[in-house]
Amino acid sequence: MFSWVKQEQGGRNKEGEMYQTVTEGLQTLYHKKLLPLEEHYLFHDFHSPALEAADFQSKPMVLLVGQYSTGKTTFIRYLLEQDFPGMRIGPEPTTDGFIAVMYGENEGVVPGNALVVDPKKPFRKLNAFGNSFLNRFICSQMPNQVLQSISIIDTPGILSGEKQRISRGYDFAEVLRWFGERVDRIILLFDAHKLDISDEFSEAIRAFKGQDDKIRVVLNKADQVDTQQLMRVYGALMWSLGKVINTPEVVRVYLGSFWAKPLQNTENRPLQNSKNRRLFEAESQDLFRDIQSLPRNAALRKLNDLIKRARLAKVHAYIISYLKKEMPSLFGREKKKEELIMRLPEIYTILQREHHISPGDFPNVAKMQDMLQHYDFSKFPSLKMKLIESVDKMLASKIAVLMAMIREEESKAPPAMVSGGAFEGSQDGPFGQGYGEGISAGADAEDWIVSREKHRYDEIFYMLMPVNGKITGVNAKKEMMNSRLPNTVLGKIWKLADCDRDGMLDDEEFALAQHLIKIKLEGYELPTELPDHLVPPSHRKNATADALYNHSED
């Protein structure tokens, strides 16, 4: 959702009337269609609290989770490029609570008890976790450009060994699940030196079940191991994650060192000369692009979350009404209740067949069995098809209207990318990724970069028996095939090198083709059009550049 798009003035939307904004449309659909179903079947007691206006209007949020000393707080400081109120960094477990880092005109800290009564913040429902949690929850506000587009949630360092058996005083996994349902991105941080996933960390990751599309993994401090160790560490991390995150897809892992200090490695040679530095730069840029895209995709994410919530609410209604239907009217209620709880997996199967529901839409059976112990089934409501049909109609027609509105709003006022901090200028200037490398090499040089190796290419060229200063496509093909590049790639190189489109190559065009082959073999991508600095001098329209080239040749 576009949190910066305020609702326009006007009357309340009637049935069938277009909504003025996507935010208004989502709120209206939830309150009119979905909320009645949730309230009628006690959805909020079993699954998730009711949504409020702040949940729809809030900025995209990023949740950082990891064991202690994996660099979560340092990662935030790296993105913001400044300290934030309440920040503590150290090798020991320093962050002992949740910190919501958000934008504010005045720098300061808002305690948890004050935060959960603020209707403008999306944290009011955290009040249910009690004082033990609220005393360890603060909002750190500061005027930072990055925070104008996103908010970042820092979490306590997850403990391992005996330390994890010490009670936190609140349900840590449930708090993470609450945040996981509402944030736009979940980043799991790992330290390259300690990949063990403790029991508490495993439980924390399992709390994000159903939010797999939001999860990204960062292998931090990767510069502190050499290349061979890094390969082993990466493999061990993927193996460990495979046991915890039960999805057929491979989770995206970003390698790097996310702090503003010189990169290191243990190979006792300058990292600038190694391939690791290029890898870390490419990975960090990929991660930055993923975070920068969050404002653009926020509306779709909240729409997607509303659809998932509606499907779960429907399933919950079927379960509750089925339990009510099976209860006897007078005697044997307790015995029947115990029997129904034991038969809950079987009931799931019955409902799947009866209502054509996917097994993935059902809540966790063990958790549901545990919660049902505290309720009187005879007081559950019966099935009200009118409420179900209202939600079905919302999913079938109203959601499509909002999808169209999202694209319309994006075309009228495209959401700004995350900027400022570490995102500022990450692609511009000589320190941008790929600057002076591959196809852009020689862009700011006075001479034609191909001329530096042209004497070697000329030897090959004249061995191919040129006629009138040019070689045919057949002869050029024989030489170019020696690179073992696919024909599709060589065909593209031919089109780029044949500047005059005569189906033949002169000595400069042939040298250019060899240069492009070299670029491709070094792992760089080819352009769709030939950049100006690579155009052979004799094929340029600028006579001055031609003269300069001829002078350098002399």
Side-chain angles (χ1 to χ4, degrees):
M1 177 93 26
F2 303 115
S3 56
W4 52 87
V5 180
K6 296 184 179 179
Q7 294 187 14
E8 299 173 9
Q9 298 295 326
R12 188 178 297 175
N13 282 325
K14 297 179 181 178
E15 189 73 24
E17 186 180 347
M18 291 290 290
Y19 307 110
Q20 294 176 339
T21 66
V22 175
T23 304
E24 179 191 352
L26 280 171
Q27 286 183 249
T28 304
L29 285 182
Y30 175 72
H31 287 289
K32 287 188 175 181
K33 306 292 184 181
L34 187 53
L35 186 59
L37 180 71
E38 292 181 355
E39 291 176 337
H40 190 70
Y41 291 101
L42 311 176
F43 179 85
H44 306 142
D45 295 341
F46 283 85
H47 300 288
S48 181
L51 299 179
E52 297 186 335
D55 293 309
F56 295 98
Q57 298 168 357
S58 62
K59 296 171 184 174
M61 291 191 288
V62 178
L63 179 69
L64 299 180
V65 182
Q67 298 185 152
Y68 71 91
S69 192
T70 53
K72 297 185 300 298
T73 307
T74 305
F75 182 82
I76 298 175
R77 202 234 171 271
Y78 175 73
L79 294 182
L80 303 181
E81 290 190 344
Q82 69 178 101
D83 295 345
F84 56 88
M87 183 185 82
R88 288 177 59 208
I89 296 175
E92 76 282 1
T94 49
T95 304
D96 60 350
F98 287 77
I99 303 177
V101 187
M102 308 182 78
Y103 181 83
E105 292 296 335
N106 299 314
E107 189 171 309
V109 172
V110 180
N113 283 289
L115 199 58
V116 295
V117 296
D118 186 352
K120 295 181 180 179
K121 297 285 192 299
F123 306 122
R124 284 163 59 91
K125 297 299 181 180
L126 286 171
N127 190 52
F129 294 103
N131 276 329
S132 294
F133 167 73
L134 295 179
N135 290 335
R136 293 174 175 83
F137 178 45
I138 62 172
C139 176
S140 176
Q141 293 184 323
M142 59 189 298
N144 185 280
Q145 190 177 352
V146 174
L147 300 176
Q148 288 182 329
S149 304
I150 60 172
S151 300
I152 306 174
I153 312 296
D154 194 9
T155 61
I158 295 176
L159 307 176
S160 58
E162 288 296 322
K163 294 178 182 177
Q164 67 185 359
R165 299 185 184 181
I166 303 173
S167 174
R168 295 182 183 271
Y170 59 91
D171 194 331
F172 181 65
E174 277 300 304
V175 174
L176 288 179
R177 189 176 72 86
W178 187 94
F179 275 109
E181 291 174 350
R182 288 159 177 80
V183 300
D184 296 71
R185 187 67 75 239
I186 301 167
I187 297 180
L188 306 178
L189 276 97
F190 289 86
D191 187 332
H193 286 100
K194 46 183 181 183
L195 294 177
D196 60 307
I197 300 180
S198 65
D199 293 343
E200 189 180 32
F201 199 7
S202 298
E203 187 181 358
I205 295 174
R206 291 191 183 98
F208 299 131
K209 185 178 181 181
Q211 314 296 336
D212 305 311
D213 57 317
K214 300 179 182 179
I215 295 177
R216 304 290 185 271
V217 176
V218 171
L219 181 56
N220 201 12
K221 306 180 185 180
D223 63 323
Q224 297 178 15
V225 296
D226 60 37
T227 305
Q228 186 178 16
Q229 290 173 336
L230 185 58
M231 291 174 62
R232 292 174 179 170
V233 166
Y234 183 83
L237 176 60
M238 297 302 292
W239 182 80
S240 299
L241 288 172
K243 296 197 300 180
V244 182
I245 303 177
N246 296 318
T247 57
E249 300 86 6
V250 178
V251 65
R252 177 64 163 98
V253 178
Y254 299 91
L255 308 174
S257 182
F258 298 94
W259 64 345
K261 292 189 178 181
L263 295 174
Q264 311 168 32
N265 71 346
T266 58
E267 295 175 290
N268 296 321
R269 65 171 182 262
L271 190 62
Q272 288 80 355
N273 299 328
S274 71
K275 293 183 179 179
N276 283 7
R277 182 185 182 93
R278 187 184 299 169
L279 171 66
F280 296 155
E281 288 173 352
E283 290 287 284
S284 66
Q285 289 302 322
D286 285 351
L287 180 59
F288 283 0
R289 280 192 289 269
D290 185 68
I291 296 174
Q292 283 181 303
S293 68
L294 292 180
R296 185 176 67 247
N297 298 327
L300 282 173
R301 197 276 302 169
K302 290 186 179 177
L303 184 63
N304 183 55
D305 284 354
L306 186 68
I307 294 171
K308 286 196 289 187
R309 188 182 179 99
R311 293 167 71 94
L312 179 59
K314 275 181 57 182
V315 171
H316 179 76
Y318 286 132
I319 295 171
I320 295 298
S321 58
Y322 184 91
L323 296 175
K324 165 70 175 180
K325 184 180 69 173
E326 294 295 308
M327 287 296 288
S329 56
L330 291 175
F331 304 108
R333 291 180 178 177
E334 280 301 315
K335 186 176 180 181
K336 187 63 175 178
K337 173 183 172 179
E338 292 178 7
E339 178 193 334
L340 289 172
I341 291 175
M342 289 294 294
R343 287 182 52 230
L344 193 59
E346 181 188 338
I347 293 172
Y348 277 14
T349 306
I350 294 171
L351 294 175
Q352 285 174 35
R353 289 197 302 264
E354 185 177 342
H355 299 287
H356 309 289
I357 304 171
S358 168
D361 290 346
F362 283 81
N364 181 274
V365 65
K367 184 179 176 184
M368 196 71 177
Q369 286 173 322
D370 184 54
M371 296 191 71
L372 286 171
Q373 300 281 357
H374 311 289
Y375 289 86
D376 183 355
F377 292 5
S378 62
K379 294 182 179 179
F380 281 166
S382 301
L383 187 62
K384 252 180 125 174
M385 284 308 298
K386 186 178 180 181
L387 292 175
I388 299 288
E389 289 168 358
S390 179
V391 172
D392 283 336
K393 183 180 178 182
M394 177 192 81
L395 294 173
S397 59
K398 304 296 183 182
I399 293 297
V401 174
L402 288 182
M403 285 287 291
M405 284 190 67
I406 289 174
R407 299 306 177 201
E408 185 180 344
E409 284 192 359
E410 284 182 349
S411 61
K412 290 181 180 178
M417 299 270 283
V418 180
S419 59
F423 302 97
E424 193 66 38
S426 59
Q427 288 290 341
D428 303 326
F431 296 99
Q433 183 188 358
Y435 185 90
E437 301 175 359
I439 206 69
S440 65
D444 50 3
E446 292 185 2
D447 62 334
W448 186 41
I449 189 172
V450 183
S451 65
R452 301 172 190 177
E453 298 287 333
K454 190 172 181 296
H455 62 281
R456 289 198 308 106
Y457 302 145
D458 282 349
E459 292 178 7
I460 304 172
F461 178 78
Y462 288 111
M463 288 175 61
L464 297 175
M465 307 298 291
V467 178
N468 296 326
K470 294 191 176 186
I471 58 173
T472 62
V474 174
N475 288 342
K477 178 181 178 181
K478 292 177 182 177
E479 177 59 32
M480 292 172 70
M481 290 286 285
N482 291 334
S483 66
R484 298 184 181 179
L485 289 171
N487 285 350
T488 53
V489 176
L490 292 175
K492 185 174 183 179
I493 290 174
W494 174 270
K495 289 181 180 179
L496 292 171
D498 187 13
C499 299
D500 53 12
R501 302 289 188 270
D502 63 350
M504 304 178 76
L505 299 182
D506 60 25
D507 61 326
E508 290 182 351
E509 292 173 325
F510 179 77
L512 174 60
Q514 294 296 309
H515 180 73
L516 294 175
I517 288 173
K518 177 186 173 186
I519 288 174
K520 187 62 181 177
L521 291 175
E522 288 175 350
Y524 297 100
E525 292 302 319
L526 296 173
T528 53
E529 294 184 4
L530 192 67
D532 291 340
H533 70 278
L534 287 183
V535 176
S538 62
H539 293 271
R540 296 178 185 174
K541 296 179 181 179
N542 188 345
T544 306
D546 216 351
L548 285 172
Y549 170 70
N550 292 331
H551 175 72
S552 65
E553 284 289 291
D554 294 340

